[in-house]
C-alpha cells in the first residue's frame, strides 16, 4: 500500500508527503521528519506508522492532543482510513491511501478456450392470431 498526507491547513499547507514503510515522527524537535513550527505542537507530538498494509497514528503524550476526524485520539493507537482528517496544532492533513495491485502469475494448465457443444434446440415460434375485432376485457 502507498500512503501520503496532503496538508490542507497550517504553515506547510499545500504540500504532499509520501510515506514509506516505517515510522514518520511529527513535532517541533530536530529529529522529527515533519517539523511543525507551532506553539501548539509538542516536541514529539505524534507518529504515523505504515506497516502490514495499515497506516496507524499514535499521540506521543502531547499537551494539546492529536485529532482524527474531530475526535481526540489520546495515546492509544488508531488506524487511519482513506480521507481521514488529522489535526496537529494548527496543521490539518488528509490521509490518502492507494492500494497497490500486484499482478498474479498465470496458473492455467491448459487453454481455456470455448468448448463446442450441441446447440440448444430452437424455441418454437409463437403463433399470433391477427384479428380486426376488439376484445373488451372489462369486468362483467
Amino acid at each position: 500500500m502507498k500512503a501520503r498526507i496532503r496538508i490542507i491547513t497550517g504553515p506547510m499547507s499545500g504540500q504532499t508527503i509520501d510515506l514509506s514503510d516505517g515510522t514518520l515522527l511529527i513535532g517541533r524537535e530536530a529529529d522529527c521528519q515533519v517539523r511543525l513550527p507551532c506553539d501548539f505542537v509538542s516536541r514529539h507530538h505524534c507518529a504515523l506508522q505504515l506497516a502490514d498494509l495499515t497506516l496507524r497514528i499514535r499521540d506521543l503524550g502531547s499537551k494539546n492532543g492529536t485529532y482524527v476526524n474531530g475526535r481526540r485520539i489520546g495515546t492509544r493507537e488508531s488506524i487511519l482510513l482513506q480521507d481521514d482528517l488529522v489535526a496537529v496544532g494548527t496543521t490539518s492533513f488528509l490521509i490518502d491511501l492507494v492500494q497497490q495491485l500486484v499482478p498474479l502469475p498465470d496458473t492455467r494448465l491448459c487453454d481455456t478456450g470455448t468448448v463446442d457443444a450441441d446447440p440448444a434446440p430452437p424455441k418454437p415460434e409463437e403463433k399470433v392470431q391477427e384479428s380486426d375485432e376488439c376484445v373488451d376485457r372489462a369486468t362483467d
Side-chain angles (χ1 to χ4, degrees), residues 1-4 50 53 82 95-101:
M1 174 173 63
K2 292 174 70 174
R4 63 180 159 231
L50 180 60
L53 301 176
Q82 175 69 25
I95 301 300
D96 189 13
L97 303 175
V98 178
Q99 200 71 20
Q100 291 177 306
L101 298 177

Side-chain angles (χ1 to χ4, degrees), residues 67-114:
Y67 294 81
V68 176
N69 298 325
R71 293 183 177 205
R72 190 172 183 158
I73 62 169
T75 56
R76 74 184 190 286
E77 192 174 74
S78 297
I79 294 176
L80 294 172
L81 303 174
Q82 175 69 25
D83 292 330
D84 275 350
L85 179 65
V86 177
V88 175
T90 59
T91 298
S92 334
F93 53 89
L94 282 172
I95 301 300
D96 189 13
L97 303 175
V98 178
Q99 200 71 20
Q100 291 177 306
L101 298 177
V102 177
L104 297 174
D106 187 3
T107 58
R108 291 180 289 179
L109 298 175
C110 62
D111 182 16
T112 58
T114 59

